[in-house]
Amino acid sequence: MTSREELAQFLKKEFPQNKATIESVGERMATVRHTVGEAELRPGGTVAGPVMMTVADVALYVAILGEIGIVPLTVTTSLNINFMRKPASDRDIIGICKLLKLGKTLAVGEVTLYSEGVDEPVAHAVGTYAIPSRPR
Amino acid sequence: MTSREELAQFLKKEFPQNKATIESVGERMATVRHTVGEAELRPGGTVAGPVMMTVADVALYVAILGEIGIVPLTVTTSLNINFMRKPASDRDIIGICKLLKLGKTLAVGEVTLYSEGVDEPVAHAVGTYAIPSRPR
Amino acid sequence: MTSREELAQFLKKEFPQNKATIESVGERMATVRHTVGEAELRPGGTVAGPVMMTVADVALYVAILGEIGIVPLTVTTSLNINFMRKPASDRDIIGICKLLKLGKTLAVGEVTLYSEGVDEPVAHAVGTYAIPSRPR
Amino acid sequence: MTSREELAQFLKKEFPQNKATIESVGERMATVRHTVGEAELRPGGTVAGPVMMTVADVALYVAILGEIGIVPLTVTTSLNINFMRKPASDRDIIGICKLLKLGKTLAVGEVTLYSEGVDEPVAHAVGTYAIPSRPR
């Protein structure tokens, strides 16, 4: 199990452009936050789709590395996202990931995305990741 | 039909954070480019997944607006992407979108993503968009 | 709310070829069972993919009609399924659907698929349905 | 390369319940037909979703085995399908698969589905398959 602090440091160093932060990680789950400011909005006063895709992708990555340790070359192999409701323009996006499968070479997880403080989710994603084989 | 110039201006104004540029648009297609620099890379010397998701999303948006005119509130309702090969770290990402359906309220399209100059695609996406009803 | 009995009768009459049966329905959920016999197997002694896709599709349909009443023309607009583990050849497939969104014209739900009596799911699907507009 | 006849015999023997037939296979493509009769219809006088999912799945399987030989344990790992138009109730469903990637252990392909003789596709699917490692 990898701690939130270790993962936060790893993301900061290896993904300096990433703006999502880790709220919690563990027990095959992860919660990630993305602040929403001018740069995240699109016409209609709502959050741009790629911001939510990014949150889903980061939440999956963090949930997996939280279980297997820092294996940076773990990569997304597929992502499917459904946008369900208009996100608020003045609330952060919160992504909550639950892993559905954690095999030796493949992980599958789902991410439910919320506008912070709103009950109904704004989007839902399912992603698969390939885990490189590694020495034991 | 909306011209490349009109769409480029619209993107620049309404999506100032967007880094993808339009190479061509028309005949239910669009080609979009995303430069690849330090900010787009991830461990493994390859392009980060969210960059490719963004290119797919923008290519779909541009292909649709190229047909229906600038209807900014056209929004992504789903996106499915499969990552197939490792993108080159020193080549731009090119996304080529073809619309599969352009209805009054729903559009569906596919996007094939390439590392510029490489024959085999790096990823493939299918997205759906909701088009708001509008006065005629 | 539509009862299990009403839905079972409706399926029997309108989808006579359907082999999936309703275990329960209500509170934005549905559980569906598909018996597994020779006709459901494929090489490798496992359940054929289309059987599981069918269970996912029926579970979504039943969960939606359980909420909105028998609106037969409610139709699937997309389905995404990930196969995660090999299903047992001698156990029924159980699909448990939870609706994520139930709007006036669009519903989204997820289905987790199990080999009966086995904890880890064999597959996971997300589907979207279009609900026709109807008199009130 | 595996011939249409060999694949047809293999399907007949190993998937006796399968009703889809192979029209052609080769050059990383396959065309599959599913007859449409009473058993394939659903309310609304249209073809049931699971029939189209089955055609997509079979077309992918045939296209892959057409390239790699008869490796029965090749299995679907994911399928994403978008339904775009109402299929005709009195026309067969034709699925045309093109492989996008054929790796040693993973294949990805897309399938466009038609009502025979109608230009605009009724659905579009993308699937991934795992190919078991095998002796050379």
Side-chain angles (χ1 to χ4, degrees), chain C residues 10 14-17 38-46 48-50 53-54 57-58 61 71-84 129, chain D residues 10 14-17 38-46 48-50 53-54 57-58 61 71-84 129:
Chain C
F10 163 70
E14 299 291 347
F15 293 82
Q17 73 281 24
E38 276 300 310
E40 280 71 33
L41 299 182
R42 50 152 288 158
T46 187
M53 298 180 205
T54 301
D57 194 42
V58 174
Y61 192 60
V71 182
L73 300 192
T74 300
V75 292
T76 319
T77 45
S78 75
L79 191 99
N80 183 64
I81 186 164
N82 282 284
F83 298 96
M84 298 190 294
Y129 269 74
Chain D
F10 163 71
E14 298 291 347
F15 293 82
Q17 73 280 26
E38 276 300 310
E40 281 72 30
L41 298 183
R42 51 151 288 157
T46 188
M53 299 180 204
T54 301
D57 195 42
V58 174
Y61 192 59
V71 181
L73 299 191
T74 299
V75 292
T76 319
T77 45
S78 75
L79 191 98
N80 184 65
I81 186 162
N82 282 284
F83 297 96
M84 299 190 293
Y129 269 74

Side-chain angles (χ1 to χ4, degrees), chain A residues 37-54:
Chain A
E38 276 300 311
E40 280 72 31
L41 298 182
R42 51 151 287 159
T46 187
V47 179
V51 172
M52 290 185 277
M53 299 180 204
T54 302

Side-chain angles (χ1 to χ4, degrees), chain B residues 105-135:
Chain B
T105 60
L106 183 75
V108 183
E110 64 171 334
V111 184
T112 311
L113 295 148
Y114 296 90
S115 281
E116 189 175 20
V118 179
D119 277 356
E120 299 277 24
V122 295
H124 180 268
V126 177
T128 60
Y129 269 75
I131 303 169
S133 54
R134 49 203 195 281

